[in-house]
Amino acid sequence: MNSSIPSNEIPRRGFFQLTLGWIAATLASAASAMAAVRFLVPNVLYEPSQRFKAGKPEDYADGSVTFLEDERVFIIRKGNAFRCLSAVCTHLGCTVNRIKTGYHCPCHGSLFNNQGKVIGGPAPRPLPWFLVTLSKDQRLVVDKSRVVNGDKYLVV
Amino acid sequence: MKPPLVKRLWKSFERTRVGRSIFRVGLPESRLERSRAMISSFLLHVQPAKVSRRSLRPGYTLGLGLISLYLFLILIATGVLLMFYYVPSTDQAYNSMKDLQFVVSAGLLIRNMHRWAAHLMVVFVLLHLCRVFYTGAYKRPREFNWVLGVGLFLLTLALSFTGYLLPWDQLAYWAITVGTSIAGYAPLVGQKLRFLLLGGHTVGQEALIRFYALHIIVLPGVAGLMIAVHLWRVRKDGGLSRPDEPGDLVEQVESGQLPANKTYGLMELARGTTPQVGKDPEEEVSAWPHLVFRELLLFLLVVAVVLFLAIFWNAPLEEFANPVHPPNPAKAPWYFLGLQELVSHSAFWGGVVVPGLLVTALLLLPYLDRKRAGIGRWFARERAVANTIFTLCLVAAVVFTVIGTFFRGPNWGWVEPWKQPPAVTEGP
Ligand code: HEM
Ligand code: FES
């Protein structure tokens, strides 16, 4: 048979090359898929920084609970102690409201006490407390990426 | 009798050089030409030249699949128009919706049509799913078409959900915040998935552009392709399901059940079930005009209903999105309110386990339920058990959705819709 005319049979000698071809094609597809997924994970976030300055300690009255809108946190001052509590409901991310006994989420009715502990509703975890420090220029600095215990506070 | 004027004009156009270059077969007169018209036109060749009388009975399919298809087409047409004005940026999105409503000629109408058609599509795809279930139409050889259908159902929901964010109003912002948080509860990958979907930690510009890309090209593209395969499979699986339908031809040859009143071409035997196998020729009519005109009529009806809704009811647009103040209560789109009601009891069980199990059950159904009895009839007694289970799930879904929609007020508290809603009390 004239070898330049392909026949319908898969030639035996080609089997090895065929396997190699399949492996190469599989690897190439997998690599492309991974690149595509990685492409979709953003490297730079234009969100507000997780760490931010929250003004001077004197800005907050003694015994006050102040809601910072843009950052969605509460700054709590008692005497000279400062703490910062998340205002993002741990259930599905709504902003909680301050009530007499603690905090209340309007979306599915989760209730938190003054310590951020869940006392009702579907929220699975307490509201987290964030690390508060003082900058060199005497400003409060909150770092939302650092969760601390509720009994930890900054004394000024 | 002379044919009507329009027809005569059409005929004389067909005979011109241009007419003949466009239409490979003219308006058909004879039976043969009718078949040729169906086979040689690009738009019509998707359909068979002959259809069984049974399949034309409106009471069998209720036209639900076709209606879903037409709604999809209306959504594409109106959606493309909206794209000429809509800007996917958090600064401008809301304003472009306002422009569409108050400045652009017919903008309000187009937006309303797009919105109502989207709602209707969710409803009709679900009804179509129910029809297919209650007539046992998902069994061999249509198992895979059912699986494609489940995919289409999920895609329909995803299309609605991604579109929901685009107006960038309060409704949009909080429904997506709540909805994507549900995804965050999935074990292991949940948080990563949410981050990937939003392109960040909260709903913002990155999320808007991602939802936009998904809504206008990725999801419609995938859905369009899947619909094409779905319709192609309807034909290749032997047309619509019928009670007298032969199972596998091979099976029949083996059991000697072949109807004797027909000669089989080799092709038919070789390919398994084809549209012709087992059909008595007398049971069939030409697709042109019987099928084509019915389809056209239904299309006009669907367009008319959507137009009617769009003229008399406006799509909602609330205040500009405010990440600080969730509306009270914050509600997801209505078709997710059953889910939200479940989630209000437990995010993990209600938001992940229950929907996950339901989808898995739907996907596996045609491979698990393989009894042949009761195909092609509504509510066949032989399928009483399956039908009862399905109905219970359906009723549960409807009850939860109704509770979430009408019986949940401020703070997701129980309200009775016929009573005055309680005053909203919030903290200082
Ligand atoms: C975008 C959504 C969908 C569109 C446009 C669509 C379109 C259609 C059309 C036009 C038909 C022909 C018969 C009829 O009109 O009922 C059909 C049949 C069918 N569909 Fe769908 N469909 C969709 C979703 C689904 C879903 C959600 C399921 C089920 C999970 C499904 C499963 C089937 C099956 C099994 C058939 C064959 C029925 C039979 O032979 O009796 N489809 N579909
Ligand atoms: S988001 Fe707060 S209770 Fe659901």
Side-chain angles (χ1 to χ4, degrees):
Chain A
M1 210 209 278
N2 188 334
S3 62
S4 67
I5 300 172
S7 85
N8 269 331
E9 313 289 315
I10 297 176
R12 221 167 250 284
R13 245 184 320 137
F15 184 77
F16 180 65
Q17 282 96 318
L18 205 67
T19 312
L20 263 187
W22 273 111
I23 292 173
T26 310
L27 287 180
S29 325
S32 317
M34 266 157 66
V37 170
R38 186 59 191 82
F39 171 86
L40 289 172
V41 180
N43 289 336
V44 178
L45 294 180
Y46 294 92
E47 296 168 354
S49 164
Q50 296 285 86
R51 209 176 121 94
F52 62 94
K53 283 193 179 166
K56 288 178 275 190
E58 307 91 86
D59 296 348
Y60 302 91
D62 188 6
S64 68
V65 176
T66 313
F67 177 53
L68 302 187
E69 281 205 356
D70 293 341
E71 311 290 352
R72 296 219 276 166
V73 294
F74 293 100
I75 302 283
I76 300 162
R77 171 169 182 179
K78 203 173 260 165
N80 282 332
F82 290 84
R83 294 188 299 168
C84 175
L85 181 69
S86 166
V88 180
C89 180
T90 53
H91 180 227
L92 292 175
C94 284
T95 312
V96 298
N97 294 311
R98 172 97 181 116
I99 53 172
K100 284 226 176 56
T101 52
Y103 305 89
H104 177 258
C105 180
C107 288
H108 315 100
S110 284
L111 266 177
F112 304 87
N113 67 10
N114 280 318
Q115 294 309 307
K117 293 249 158 60
V118 184
I119 42 178
R125 275 168 283 114
L127 296 172
W129 296 89
F130 298 131
L131 182 72
V132 187
T133 48
L134 206 62
S135 66
K136 285 203 189 87
D137 57 351
Q138 302 299 304
R139 298 292 193 293
L140 295 176
V141 176
V142 175
D143 189 347
K144 287 202 282 185
S145 60
R146 314 244 333 241
V147 172
V148 296
N149 256 338
D151 48 23
K152 194 170 157 116
Y153 41 77
L154 171 81
V155 182
V156 178
Chain B
M1 203 182 69
K2 251 182 156 184
L5 180 66
V6 190
K7 191 163 178 180
R8 273 182 290 145
L9 280 176
W10 182 262
K11 280 266 162 194
S12 43
F13 169 65
E14 267 177 13
R15 275 192 290 272
T16 63
R17 219 162 226 277
V18 178
R20 268 183 296 167
S21 76
I22 300 176
F23 300 103
R24 302 178 63 213
V25 177
L27 263 192
E29 301 284 349
S30 64
R31 276 189 162 207
L32 178 66
E33 278 176 11
R34 285 177 178 178
S35 296
R36 281 187 55 209
M38 294 300 292
I39 297 166
S40 45
S41 146
F42 174 73
L43 287 177
L44 295 179
H45 88 279
V46 180
Q47 320 211 26
K50 303 257 177 169
V51 283
S52 118
R53 277 177 204 279
R54 267 197 89 89
S55 303
L56 288 179
R57 280 190 210 162
Y60 183 56
T61 64
L62 302 176
L64 294 170
L66 274 180
I67 294 175
S68 311
L69 172 68
Y70 295 152
L71 288 167
F72 184 72
L73 295 180
I74 292 175
L75 284 163
I76 300 275
T78 51
V80 167
L81 287 174
L82 292 176
M83 279 178 67
F84 280 84
Y85 282 96
Y86 179 80
V87 185
S89 110
T90 50
D91 296 333
Q92 293 179 63
Y94 185 72
N95 291 338
S96 39
M97 299 320 285
K98 286 275 183 208
D99 277 356
L100 279 164
Q101 286 201 327
F102 297 108
V103 184
V104 180
S105 302
L108 184 61
L109 183 76
I110 299 290
R111 168 162 194 245
N112 290 350
M113 283 182 78
H114 195 76
R115 176 64 71 106
W116 300 140
H119 284 325
L120 285 180
M121 185 164 165
V122 174
V123 173
F124 277 94
V125 170
L126 184 64
L127 288 176
H128 173 56
L129 186 152
C130 296
R131 185 292 275 182
V132 172
F133 188 93
Y134 285 126
T135 55
Y138 54 82
K139 304 198 176 184
R140 204 181 58 221
R142 298 184 179 79
E143 302 104 319
F144 186 64
N145 218 14
W146 167 271
V147 172
L148 283 175
V150 176
L152 280 170
F153 177 56
L154 298 179
L155 274 174
T156 305
L157 292 180
L159 271 163
S160 294
F161 187 64
T162 48
Y164 215 76
L165 180 63
L166 303 187
W168 203 253
D169 61 348
Q170 275 289 73
L171 201 63
Y173 185 90
W174 288 102
I176 302 308
T177 298
V178 169
T180 49
S181 300
I182 297 177
Y185 275 93
L188 300 176
V189 289
Q191 285 302 324
K192 288 215 175 68
L193 199 72
R194 179 168 189 273
F195 183 76
L196 201 65
L197 201 61
L198 295 183
H201 295 101
T202 52
V203 179
Q205 177 60 58
E206 287 75 19
L208 180 58
I209 197 90
R210 274 168 194 235
F211 275 55
Y212 179 71
L214 287 172
H215 186 73
I216 62 145
I217 182 74
V218 179
L219 296 173
V222 176
L225 207 68
M226 268 173 84
I227 290 176
V229 180
H230 188 65
L231 299 183
W232 181 77
R233 279 302 293 248
V234 171
R235 246 194 102 180
K236 293 293 169 183
D237 291 339
L240 291 189
S241 47
R242 306 180 304 281
D244 57 344
E245 190 173 47
D248 244 331
L249 200 63
V250 177
E251 214 169 70
Q252 279 194 306
V253 173
E254 278 164 5
S255 59
Q257 280 179 346
L258 280 175
N261 59 356
K262 195 172 183 296
T263 0
Y264 291 89
L266 182 59
M267 243 169 36
E268 290 171 290
L269 284 166
R271 273 204 218 148
T273 319
T274 81
Q276 300 309 316
V277 172
K279 277 191 201 163
D280 183 342
E282 291 307 305
E283 270 296 299
E284 302 199 324
V285 290
S286 301
W288 181 295
H290 301 288
L291 177 64
V292 175
F293 281 23
R294 278 171 171 80
E295 289 176 343
L296 221 58
L297 194 70
L298 188 60
F299 180 62
L300 290 181
L301 201 72
V302 173
V303 174
V305 169
V306 172
L307 260 176
F308 176 79
L309 293 175
I311 288 171
F312 290 103
W313 285 278
N314 284 339
L317 185 65
E318 298 192 350
E319 309 92 78
F320 187 76
N322 182 346
V324 178
H325 289 291
N328 191 354
K331 288 195 178 186
W334 64 266
Y335 37 83
F336 284 146
L337 283 182
L339 199 59
Q340 195 178 349
E341 171 64 21
L342 287 180
V343 165
S344 80
H345 299 283
S346 156
F348 178 68
W349 289 98
V352 180
V353 177
V354 172
L357 283 179
L358 279 180
V359 170
T360 314
L362 281 178
L363 286 174
L364 292 181
L365 169 76
Y367 302 101
L368 297 179
D369 173 21
R370 290 182 301 201
K371 265 194 296 189
R372 302 294 302 164
I375 297 178
R377 271 176 299 135
W378 277 86
F379 308 120
R381 189 164 297 154
E382 298 89 321
R383 295 175 31 78
V385 178
N387 285 343
T388 311
I389 298 175
F390 184 81
T391 308
L392 286 178
C393 294
L394 197 66
V395 168
V398 172
V399 166
F400 279 116
T401 307
V402 168
I403 291 179
T405 311
F406 298 110
F407 290 83
R408 291 300 182 181
N411 306 335
W412 209 251
W414 184 263
V415 292
E416 275 144 26
W418 46 88
K419 284 198 193 132
Q420 185 75 13
V424 181
T425 43
E426 273 182 29

